[in-house]
Amino acid sequence: MKISLLVLGSPLAGASADSAYHYADAALRAGHEIPGIFFYHEGVYHGNAFSAPAQDETDRVERWVELSRRGPSELVLCVASALRRGILDQAESSRRSRAAGNMHPAFNLAGLGLLVAAAGECDRLLTFGT
Amino acid sequence: MFDDEGFLQDPNRWSPALAKEVAARESLVLTAEHWEIITLLRNYYQRFDASPAMRALVKYSSQELGPEKGRSIYLLSLFPGSPARLGSKIAGLPKPHNCL
Amino acid sequence: MTLPGKRLLLICRHSPYAGQLSHGALDFALAASVFEQDLTLLFMDEGVWQLLPNQQVDGKSIEKTLDSLPLYDFEELHVDLGSLHSRHLSITDLRGSVTPLSAAELPAFLDSFDQLISC
């Protein structure tokens, strides 16, 4: 089955995004396809390459990156949500004269149209977080 | 004053003179027909708190100015390429933020 | 651009001014319209507050965005009656063109869509 995920929760606020990860992980292991994972709203913090958790904590950014290689699954940050929250790729960072780009290169910035397209194409679209 | 795509940074600084300037940069000379749509776009923003996508602009033009003007081809003849975007730029509206 | 036709239901469950998600959900609706997807809107839980008329706010107005929906060809909005009643609201408190759905009608209504997106 083709399954897409919509992740609304930030990495550290509650367990919804952890559930999304474990769901995606289990679905891939069960042989399903996950063409895209969409991070919207607070979910865009998952693409912050500058997050530096302590050694005994889960690195939630790296975990998505590893999963996306395995998928392969595209990791997409809603561009409007991301810019508003200070998650910028290299190009946006120079365009807006910011000190550095902090988006992990395994993620992509895109408009909502991509999520709309995914909703039309996949068999299931699951929302995680409120 | 403008962002890298030519949109006005602060919509409050818009003036008809500035609209002419922005239009000139896009190689457009504003006629009465252009102004009618520019006014319509500014009213749209007042009413709906957003810049319209093409679909909404066509329908709103039709509603407010009649079916003859509520057509993509008419709007394209005035603002070539992407009427909603180019029109919004000249009318001093913010860049459509939902990046459609 | 036409995409494979699926019937989508967007469930708006967030209070209008308690964060960005109420706006985020409506942005999704506008994007779906631009991409010519068949999308229906249902307001549920705290989301029913979005449907009250005469909202006075400093920032972006949800009411104004809802006003623009007919221009994106969303003529009809749906609301969960149970969510209304548990908040001591009734359908007459809401803006026009809202269709109420009772608890008995809701399951079949939800079932009639291919995808549910909850924001």
Side-chain angles (χ1 to χ4, degrees):
Chain A
M1 201 180 266
K2 262 194 195 174
I3 305 169
S4 291
L5 266 54
L6 172 61
V7 179
L8 303 174
S10 96
L12 300 175
S16 71
D18 289 340
S19 303
Y21 171 79
H22 291 299
Y23 177 89
D25 181 49
L28 284 180
R29 287 177 201 284
H32 296 294
E33 259 180 83
I34 303 194
I37 301 167
F38 299 86
F39 299 89
Y40 193 32
H41 191 59
E42 305 279 305
V44 297
Y45 289 118
H46 287 272
N48 185 359
F50 284 9
S51 72
Q55 290 99 318
D56 60 349
E57 286 172 19
T58 306
D59 188 331
R60 291 176 166 82
V61 178
E62 271 312 317
R63 193 166 70 168
W64 282 119
V65 173
E66 181 277 321
L67 182 135
S68 78
R69 293 202 186 103
R70 205 154 24 102
S73 310
E74 201 182 349
L75 303 174
V76 183
L77 303 184
C78 163
V79 58
S81 299
L83 295 185
R84 196 178 279 140
R85 290 175 178 78
I87 311 292
L88 281 71
D89 65 4
Q90 215 47 258
E92 289 292 347
S93 158
S94 10
R95 275 184 55 198
R96 288 155 203 272
S97 315
R98 296 301 191 260
N102 59 343
M103 189 187 82
H104 194 291
F107 289 75
N108 291 308
L109 292 173
L112 275 176
L114 217 63
L115 176 60
V116 172
E121 282 160 9
C122 61
D123 301 304
R124 294 276 187 282
L125 171 66
L126 274 85
T127 308
F128 289 87
T130 52
Chain B
M1 191 154 180
F2 297 96
D3 73 5
D4 60 335
E5 292 171 63
F7 281 82
L8 199 58
Q9 302 270 22
D10 177 3
N12 294 319
R13 297 184 63 176
W14 185 87
S15 67
L18 208 60
K20 283 184 203 158
E21 201 181 298
V22 177
R25 228 176 292 155
E26 305 281 346
S27 320
L28 283 182
V29 178
L30 299 179
T31 63
E33 286 75 27
H34 288 100
W35 282 108
E36 190 175 45
I37 301 299
I38 291 169
T39 308
L40 178 101
L41 279 161
R42 293 185 63 80
N43 290 340
Y44 183 101
Y45 188 80
Q46 284 296 319
R47 261 175 88 174
F48 304 120
D49 252 358
S51 311
M54 186 57 185
R55 179 175 198 157
L57 177 58
V58 170
K59 208 163 167 183
Y60 192 58
S61 304
S62 171
Q63 207 172 286
E64 301 293 311
L65 307 173
E68 278 304 300
K69 291 181 173 172
R71 293 161 61 213
S72 310
I73 195 143
Y74 175 73
L75 296 168
L76 274 162
S77 72
L78 294 174
F79 301 99
S82 172
R85 193 179 165 84
L86 182 54
S88 294
K89 195 193 267 191
I90 296 170
L93 308 187
K95 188 161 43 187
H97 77 287
N98 46 5
C99 44
L100 307 172
Chain C
M1 171 166 163
T2 312
L3 297 161
K6 287 246 162 96
R7 295 195 68 220
L8 312 179
L9 178 71
L10 178 68
I11 309 178
C12 302
R13 291 181 14 255
H14 285 85
S15 163
Y17 303 108
Q20 297 281 335
L21 265 179
S22 51
H23 288 283
L26 295 180
D27 282 346
F28 180 82
L30 301 189
S33 160
V34 168
F35 286 92
E36 299 184 356
Q37 293 288 292
D38 177 2
L39 183 111
T40 301
L41 287 119
L42 168 66
F43 292 80
M44 215 171 178
D45 300 338
E46 297 296 316
V48 301
W49 297 109
Q50 295 185 36
L51 300 170
L52 290 185
N54 305 318
Q55 298 172 19
Q56 315 259 322
V57 287
D58 290 336
K60 290 268 174 196
S61 161
I62 276 287
E63 186 177 19
K64 287 184 174 183
T65 306
L66 293 175
D67 287 342
S68 74
L69 289 180
L71 296 170
Y72 289 88
D73 293 323
F74 297 108
E75 301 295 342
E76 190 187 18
L77 307 177
H78 297 81
V79 68
D80 165 42
L81 262 185
S83 301
L84 276 187
H85 292 160
S86 60
R87 287 166 181 79
H88 298 276
L89 292 171
S90 76
I91 193 81
T92 53
D93 293 320
L94 307 182
R95 57 189 288 120
S97 307
V98 181
T99 308
L101 292 165
S102 69
E105 292 166 316
L106 202 56
F109 179 77
L110 295 178
D111 200 37
S112 68
F113 295 91
D114 297 307
Q115 307 276 25
L116 309 185
I117 300 116
S118 155
C119 267

